[in-house]
Amino acid sequence: MDTVKEGEVYVVMLRGKTSPYEMFAVIKAVDAVVEPTFGTRPGERLLAELVAMWKSNDPKMRIAAIEQMGIIRDRRVSEEVIAAAKDKDAETARAGVIALYRMKIAPDAKRVMELFNEQIMEVWYQESGEPQEDDKGEKIWRRDAGHTFLERGLPDFDYATYVREGIKKEWVRKDDQTLYMFFGVPWKVQRKECVPELVKLLDDPDKRVRWWAVLCLTHTVDDVDRPQWEEYEPREGEELAKWRKWWKEKGDDFMADTATQRSKPDIFLRHGHSP
């Protein structure tokens, strides 16, 4: 608020559904009048303002516009967000890939990992827990290898690349909280394509990384949240041996099995399985 100047026009964004509202952001608006090209409702007028801001020559204004488009999650501005993700400026591109993920449009995983930082990781951690929904707004479930999973994350995003390339970053390994957020993504989405990358991490020199690999494998393959650190630490050798044996004996069949059943959870419940 200290930068607000008399005579200038600003877009004030509020958070909340009922008053009193909380101020979320104040962004300097473009000088010219913006036509409400998306409609006349407040949110649609704001969307038109953001598109105009994106077309400005001010780098900070352009980034702020893309960030807010992602938070609004309106796909009518997907072309602008896709363009931002391809921008030569790294900060603009980061805002673009983050906005795409929030809008549930899968960005290119290689591009994401080129730009990967703690901000991207935090958004992936937060957003990957959101359940997928069908056209009617119903949550999507899948039954795979005898287990029922609530589909999370984006169906077209390459989470295997996220695991493989992300763990190479030294800052990802800097402390337990960072590892928690990084591995929280494959843990939440439970994707089969991550399994080979997690198996490779069973040989990682960092014991914490090996534990997270076991934890994510157990959750992805068996749909069980274990072993916790206190349980894992004294019998690490046993856990590692178990998963190496499983991969050698059953890994090929597990990866080759593409038969999945998608349905509502009540159908699974009638068959005696409680998710």
Side-chain angles (χ1 to χ4, degrees):
M1 290 297 293
D2 294 339
T3 61
V4 174
K5 298 178 181 178
E6 184 179 356
E8 292 183 336
V9 179
Y10 294 84
V11 178
V12 180
M13 300 179 187
L14 304 177
R15 178 189 285 120
K17 296 181 179 179
T18 59
S19 59
Y21 300 98
E22 176 188 351
M23 185 180 296
F24 179 76
V26 178
I27 301 175
K28 185 176 181 295
V30 293
D31 296 329
V33 174
V34 176
E35 294 296 329
T37 53
F38 297 102
T40 57
R41 292 181 298 180
E44 292 172 327
R45 287 180 177 274
L46 173 58
L47 207 60
E49 289 277 357
L50 293 174
V51 170
M53 290 168 62
W54 163 245
K55 294 178 180 178
S56 74
N57 295 321
D58 187 325
K60 291 184 178 180
M61 187 181 291
R62 287 163 55 84
I63 291 172
I66 294 298
E67 289 175 345
Q68 296 305 317
M69 288 179 193
I71 292 171
I72 293 173
R73 303 171 190 261
D74 193 320
R75 288 197 177 191
R76 286 178 291 180
V77 292
S78 59
E79 289 186 11
E80 288 78 8
V81 175
I82 290 171
K86 297 177 180 178
D87 200 274
K88 294 180 180 179
D89 177 68
E91 289 304 311
T92 303
R94 283 192 184 95
V97 297
I98 287 173
L100 283 174
Y101 202 74
R102 283 179 167 152
M103 294 167 70
K104 301 192 183 305
I105 300 173
D108 178 72
K110 291 182 179 179
R111 180 62 167 157
V112 171
M113 301 320 294
E114 288 173 0
L115 302 163
F116 196 53
N117 66 358
E118 293 191 54
Q119 182 187 15
I120 290 177
M121 181 182 67
E122 183 175 356
V123 172
W124 256 241
Y125 173 78
Q126 293 170 346
E127 297 287 334
S128 297
E130 291 296 315
Q132 294 180 27
E133 296 181 349
D134 60 21
D135 294 338
K136 297 180 180 179
E138 297 283 349
K139 290 181 175 59
I140 299 175
W141 298 74
R142 81 174 187 272
R143 187 170 178 82
D144 193 0
H147 300 291
T148 303
F149 300 89
L150 183 59
E151 291 279 28
R152 302 180 188 275
L154 303 188
D156 301 324
F157 184 73
D158 183 359
Y159 290 97
T161 293
Y162 171 91
V163 174
R164 181 178 61 255
E165 300 303 322
I167 198 60
K168 296 176 183 178
K169 310 288 186 182
E170 287 299 324
W171 63 264
V172 169
R173 300 167 176 264
K174 68 180 181 179
D175 54 44
D176 292 340
Q177 178 63 21
T178 309
L179 283 172
Y180 172 86
M181 295 188 70
F182 174 76
F183 280 105
V185 175
W187 188 92
K188 288 179 179 182
V189 299
Q190 298 175 287
R191 293 297 170 79
K192 181 180 293 186
E193 59 265 31
C194 292
V195 168
E197 303 302 330
L198 295 168
V199 170
K200 293 175 186 176
L201 294 178
L202 297 176
D203 297 318
D204 193 271
D206 190 330
K207 187 173 185 176
R208 300 171 304 162
V209 172
R210 297 195 297 270
W211 170 57
W212 271 109
V214 169
L215 197 60
C216 289
L217 282 169
T218 308
H219 199 230
T220 302
V221 177
D222 295 333
D223 197 27
V224 176
D225 182 16
R226 64 170 179 79
Q228 297 306 306
W229 177 255
E230 296 77 9
E231 179 185 6
Y232 172 83
E233 190 176 21
R235 57 184 183 86
E236 181 188 34
E238 181 182 337
E239 286 287 346
L240 295 176
K242 180 185 76 173
W243 281 106
R244 288 173 180 140
K245 181 181 180 182
W246 174 86
W247 179 246
K248 182 178 180 180
E249 296 177 355
K250 301 180 180 180
D252 288 344
D253 290 340
F254 177 80
M255 297 302 297
D257 184 7
T258 58
T260 60
Q261 176 188 357
R262 292 173 180 265
S263 187
K264 295 181 180 180
D266 58 341
I267 294 180
F268 299 136
L269 289 172
R270 287 202 296 272
H271 288 82
H273 181 89
S274 178

